[in-house]
Amino acid sequence: MDKWKTENIRNVAILGHGSCGKTTLVEALAYTAGVTERLGRVEEGNTISDYDKEEIKRLFSIHTSIVPIQWKSMKINLLDTPGYFDFAGEVEEAMYAADAAIIVVSGKSGVEVGTRKAWDLCERLAIPRMFFVTDMDDSQTDFGKIVRELTGLYGKKIAPFHLPIRENGEFTGFVNVVKRKGRTFIKNSEYKEREIPEEAEEELNQYRELLLEAVAETDEVLLEKYFNGEAFTQEEISHALRASVHENAIVPILMGSGVKVQGTTMLLQAIEKYFPKPEANPVIGIDQKKREEFIGDFDSEKPMTAQVFKTIADPFIGKFSLVKVYSGILKSDTSILNVSKGAEEKLSRLYVLRGKEQIQVDALEAGDIGAIAKMSSVVTGDSLAAKEAPVLYEPFTFSKPYTYVRYEAAKEGDDDKISQALQKLLEEDKTLKIEHDVSSHQTLLYGMGDQHIEVALSKLFNRYKVELNISKPRVPYRETIRKRVSVQGKYKKQSGGHGQYADVHMDFEPLNDLEQAYQFDECIFGGAVPKNYFPAVEKGVVESLAKGPLAGYPVVGIHATLTDGSYHPVDSSELAFKMAAIQAFRQGFMEASPVLLEPVVSLKVVVPDKFTGDVMGDLNKRRGKVLGISPVKNKQEITADIPLSEVFGYSVALRSMTGGYGEFSYEFARYEQASQEVQEKVVKESKEQHAV
């Protein structure tokens, strides 16, 4: 593939709800541009984008794939993203490399939750966008209804550029609303001019009025002209539309059929005409040598700087670091600096990826996207630069995973293999997380949802031949006491020769600080227990804290005081005093009104207003305490305190309640005394577990 100048590059993310036709559209665009001679189909597992075994098996995108195509004098890097919410990290990676986005809407399904989430993501990152309504070949598709829905959601920003023409129920062409011209498809997406059907005139006038209104809103001079009833020139319309799309003041709606390759030529023309060059989105970094700001403005004359936006770690094709060049020219067979790690790397081969195809290139100009093989120190988010300009860019942030499962090796001796395989997955997917919970003796795998975790497990098995057993996580309960007690612990053992003897009198009482495990004091008078045995007594207390007598959970908030005791000059030892303290602890703990503490998290749920009642009702059923509701960007944010045990499986429940519109996050707040019902259940389960 040729080296492309910055002004001729467009980086475009393809977004939308799951199964709305994104991959099919990318396939149609590649076919229209002459990249392929045969149209691949998702159902047949032969598309350019969905080449991974998991994607072929499941018939939907799991990873972001890059499909570069040439259209006229342009190189368009299409970033085909997953639509299912469990793979949001892949979408976020694509958006860090994209300069614009196409939000695909299925004409059959209409505006879905994924459509709105794609819009929200574009808004958050200030990315120019346009809608493409696909499935126009389906007679049930109602383009007007979709336009009305989008206009109702996003107002006068929405500007339909096309109006469908149907003859005998078939989608045969379109009216170009901008130029007020009729078009008829002659072969796939190719078209010729035709008369505008009479029956389309009324709808055309409506769309034309919407378009002109949107144009008028972009400029005071044009607005005045509009109110005075003066007509806009074609040049004024085109210029205003281009500037307004760049500024997110106007969002065009185009249409077609991915399956029948209709409308793709118009879409490519719109990308060329309306989408910005990379230089429209400069990136700010800090030159580590000069300690001053460096603007990555996609100037090829500047020193080379780039950033890794995605990592592919596959055992069959190897490791690839996908980069976007922010300035200068990235060349093969050079040494570059990983500024984030302070490590020099030898870059031997440079590639452009098209799906799984690896196309070797000599260089990438500023603004372009490519892949570097076998960069050992490099991970997603790292800044790469020429040594003379060590520019560090801000690392990327990704959605935090909240769904988790407990896992163990299915086969003994696989722990090292599993650890290495998981590390590869974590390199590739920034929304997977591993957590070793020492207090509850379990290892947890976090993901964006159940499907995300299921796919990760499948990859581990198919790619790396390791298998995990997963189970419901053990809730990290704690144990403490509610009253003060005084007890005696005596350890006496005689087995020939020297025996073992220790006697301790101890007070145990609440520390009134659950953040602290324990506090140990002594108030011994007259040498009843020699000072050299005090550490042994404390050690006995500390060892007892790890597994509480109530249900086997760690103990917190204990104040232990050694008040009296006795010893034997020959038979006493540190071991004996430690054992005596352990006995005293067990007895004292169970006499001091022991209670179970459960972790409580602060939960935030953001939902459209109409779901507020359902969500609050469900939180009450989960023993949650709703603390407040506040408006957040046309939605409601519900804040509640809820036991951690009730959060397990919440992502599935929330999606079911809200049709996927709800989002949640939480963080640990504190420990609270569990209800008697919960305590009895947990203690019973603990006894049953130990009885097995």
Side-chain angles (χ1 to χ4, degrees):
M1 183 169 271
D2 299 332
K3 184 173 72 173
W4 292 84
K5 293 292 183 184
T6 304
E7 60 266 24
N8 296 327
I9 295 168
R10 302 290 184 276
N11 298 308
V12 183
I14 311 297
L15 310 176
H17 194 81
S19 299
C20 70
K22 296 183 297 298
T23 297
T24 301
L25 176 61
V26 169
E27 197 71 19
L29 288 167
Y31 181 79
T32 302
V35 171
T36 57
E37 295 179 356
R38 180 177 179 273
L39 199 66
R41 293 178 61 85
V42 172
E43 297 80 4
E44 295 172 10
N46 59 357
T47 63
I48 302 170
S49 300
D50 290 355
Y51 59 87
D52 184 88
K53 287 182 180 178
E54 291 293 327
E55 295 174 315
I56 293 169
K57 179 174 77 174
R58 297 169 191 272
L59 301 180
F60 60 76
S61 299
I62 291 170
H63 308 103
T64 286
S65 293
I66 302 174
V67 180
I69 63 174
Q70 181 177 346
W71 173 253
K72 297 183 179 177
S73 61
M74 273 197 320
K75 178 190 181 186
I76 305 171
N77 291 312
L78 299 171
L79 296 108
D80 184 17
T81 69
Y84 291 97
F85 310 137
D86 281 12
F87 309 102
E90 295 283 336
V91 181
E92 289 164 349
E93 287 177 337
M95 293 300 278
Y96 286 126
D99 302 306
I102 295 166
I103 302 176
V104 181
V105 181
S106 165
K108 290 182 284 189
S109 305
V111 176
E112 299 174 271
V113 58
T115 314
R116 297 173 70 163
K117 283 179 178 282
W119 175 280
D120 291 344
L121 184 57
C122 290
E123 284 285 284
R124 179 158 61 86
L125 298 174
I127 293 285
R129 75 219 70 149
M130 61 178 70
F131 288 102
F132 187 85
V133 179
T134 190
D135 298 326
M136 289 300 299
D137 56 301
D138 192 296
S139 60
Q140 300 302 310
T141 294
D142 188 340
F143 183 75
K145 182 184 176 185
I146 293 171
V147 171
R148 289 191 296 274
E149 275 189 81
L150 292 172
T151 305
L153 285 169
Y154 308 121
K156 293 180 180 178
K157 278 188 174 186
I158 301 303
F161 276 24
H162 297 139
L163 168 66
I165 295 176
R166 292 188 183 277
E167 295 173 302
N168 300 318
E170 294 285 318
F171 177 54
T172 58
F174 63 99
V175 177
N176 185 320
V177 178
V178 179
K179 295 183 178 178
R180 206 180 176 93
K181 299 283 186 181
R183 314 285 194 215
T184 293
F185 294 121
I186 50 176
K187 181 185 177 185
N188 294 330
S189 195
E190 295 175 25
Y191 58 83
K192 65 179 182 180
E193 194 165 320
R194 59 158 292 168
E195 292 294 320
I196 298 172
E198 276 186 37
E199 62 270 19
E201 284 289 348
E202 185 179 343
E203 201 169 5
L204 170 61
N205 290 333
Q206 291 174 3
Y207 285 176
R208 179 82 175 172
E209 192 60 32
L210 280 174
L211 180 68
L212 295 179
E213 236 183 278
V215 168
E217 291 282 340
T218 66
D219 183 272
E220 286 185 12
V221 174
L222 294 180
L223 188 62
E224 187 177 343
K225 198 171 180 181
Y226 177 76
F227 281 133
N228 291 335
E230 297 177 49
F232 298 142
T233 66
Q234 191 58 48
E235 188 180 348
E236 282 176 330
I237 293 173
S238 292
H239 179 77
L241 289 176
R242 185 182 295 110
S244 299
V245 171
H246 285 201
E247 294 165 9
N248 298 315
I250 283 181
V251 178
I253 308 179
L254 285 76
M255 63 177 176
S257 166
V259 172
K260 292 199 170 181
V261 200
Q262 292 174 322
T264 47
T265 299
M266 299 113 67
L267 183 56
L268 290 167
Q269 290 169 344
I271 290 171
E272 178 187 31
K273 189 170 186 178
Y274 299 113
F275 274 170
K277 303 169 187 176
E279 64 197 40
N281 299 297
V283 187
I284 308 299
I286 300 294
D287 188 317
Q288 301 298 290
K289 186 185 288 185
K290 297 179 180 177
R291 308 307 303 173
E292 63 185 27
E293 188 176 87
F294 181 95
I295 301 177
D297 55 2
F298 303 95
D299 182 350
S300 294
E301 299 301 317
K302 285 186 174 181
M304 192 286 295
T305 68
Q307 193 166 18
V308 179
F309 67 89
K310 180 176 175 59
T311 301
I312 299 173
D314 190 285
F316 305 108
I317 66 171
K319 178 180 175 180
F320 284 95
S321 301
L322 275 59
V323 299
K324 183 176 183 181
V325 183
Y326 291 154
S327 65
I329 301 174
L330 179 61
K331 298 177 181 178
S332 61
D333 295 316
T334 55
S335 290
I336 58 174
L337 183 67
N338 178 353
V339 186
S340 302
K341 301 288 192 306
E344 191 173 330
E345 289 270 7
K346 173 65 177 172
L347 192 164
S348 54
R349 293 183 178 179
L350 190 59
Y351 299 90
V352 166
L353 301 185
R354 180 180 285 135
K356 66 180 177 181
E357 184 185 1
Q358 302 159 23
I359 306 164
Q360 193 168 336
V361 295
D362 295 326
L364 292 171
E365 291 256 355
D368 210 349
I369 289 171
I372 308 171
K374 299 175 182 177
M375 300 277 278
S376 58
S377 75
V378 176
V379 297
T380 301
D382 281 355
S383 299
L384 309 178
K387 286 180 282 185
E388 68 269 21
V391 176
L392 183 68
Y393 292 102
E394 279 287 322
F396 302 131
T397 57
F398 295 96
S399 294
K400 188 176 177 181
Y402 290 101
T403 300
Y404 62 103
V405 293
R406 179 184 184 183
Y407 75 87
E408 297 172 312
K411 295 178 185 176
E412 278 191 43
D414 267 5
D415 287 339
D416 286 344
K417 281 176 67 179
I418 288 170
S419 178
Q420 291 171 17
L422 279 170
Q423 195 54 47
K424 296 287 185 187
L425 288 191
L426 294 181
E427 278 184 28
E428 203 174 34
D429 188 342
K430 291 301 179 181
T431 53
L432 279 175
K433 187 179 78 168
I434 300 296
E435 186 178 284
H436 301 284
D437 191 337
V438 178
S439 66
S440 56
H441 309 290
Q442 60 183 348
T443 309
L444 305 173
L445 174 62
Y446 282 79
M448 297 301 292
D450 292 341
Q451 196 171 54
H452 189 202
I453 291 173
E454 181 191 325
V455 167
L457 296 174
S458 185
K459 284 181 185 177
L460 286 171
F461 183 73
N462 292 319
R463 285 187 184 181
Y464 303 103
K465 309 306 175 191
V466 294
E467 193 171 359
L468 303 183
N469 288 333
I470 64 167
S471 57
K472 187 175 179 179
R474 192 170 183 239
V475 179
Y477 293 110
R478 296 288 184 266
E479 299 178 20
T480 194
I481 57 176
R482 289 185 297 178
K483 72 176 185 180
R484 183 178 182 276
V485 294
S486 298
V487 293
Q488 178 183 13
K490 183 178 281 190
Y491 184 74
K492 191 174 182 181
K493 193 173 182 182
Q494 195 70 43
S495 57
H498 287 308
Q500 294 285 351
Y501 177 84
D503 174 31
V504 296
H505 294 247
M506 301 190 72
D507 289 348
F508 294 99
E509 59 189 321
L511 183 58
N512 297 321
D513 180 5
L514 298 179
E515 298 289 323
Q516 198 173 334
Y518 79 102
Q519 183 179 314
F520 177 77
D521 289 309
E522 54 76 25
C523 54
I524 296 294
F525 297 100
V529 176
K531 287 183 179 180
N532 58 305
Y533 291 132
F534 293 171
V537 175
E538 183 175 2
K539 189 175 181 183
V541 172
V542 171
E543 286 190 13
S544 301
L545 297 173
K547 201 170 183 182
L550 186 62
Y553 290 94
V555 175
V556 294
I558 295 285
H559 185 191
T561 308
L562 176 63
T563 60
D564 202 356
S566 61
Y567 74 102
H568 189 280
V570 175
D571 291 347
S572 288
S573 66
E574 290 184 359
L575 175 62
F577 271 97
K578 184 182 83 168
M579 296 306 294
I582 289 173
Q583 287 183 2
F585 183 91
R586 287 174 182 164
Q587 180 187 341
F589 190 90
M590 296 308 291
E591 291 178 6
S593 295
V595 292
L596 190 74
L597 301 170
E598 65 178 342
V600 174
V601 298
S602 178
L603 176 73
K604 290 183 179 178
V605 188
V606 179
V607 292
D609 195 43
K610 64 181 177 179
F611 300 115
T612 304
D614 291 339
V615 170
M616 289 175 65
D618 180 71
L619 290 175
N620 288 330
K621 290 177 187 175
R622 294 173 181 268
R623 300 187 289 127
K625 297 174 186 174
V626 175
L627 303 177
I629 306 175
S630 55
V632 178
K633 293 182 181 176
N634 301 319
K635 295 181 182 179
Q636 297 293 331
E637 182 181 79
I638 303 167
T639 306
D641 281 351
I642 184 171
L644 177 63
S645 60
E646 300 289 350
V647 176
F648 187 77
Y650 188 63
S651 62
V652 175
L654 185 63
R655 282 182 191 176
S656 176
M657 274 186 291
T658 66
Y661 282 101
E663 297 177 348
F664 77 100
S665 62
Y666 64 86
E667 58 183 17
F668 173 76
R670 62 190 174 279
Y671 274 93
E672 281 185 1
Q673 183 177 326
S675 67
Q676 189 64 32
E677 183 184 355
V678 171
Q679 179 164 317
E680 288 173 359
K681 180 185 174 185
V682 173
V683 170
K684 182 183 176 185
E685 288 174 353
S686 177
K687 286 178 179 176
E688 289 173 351
Q689 188 178 356
H690 287 98
V692 174

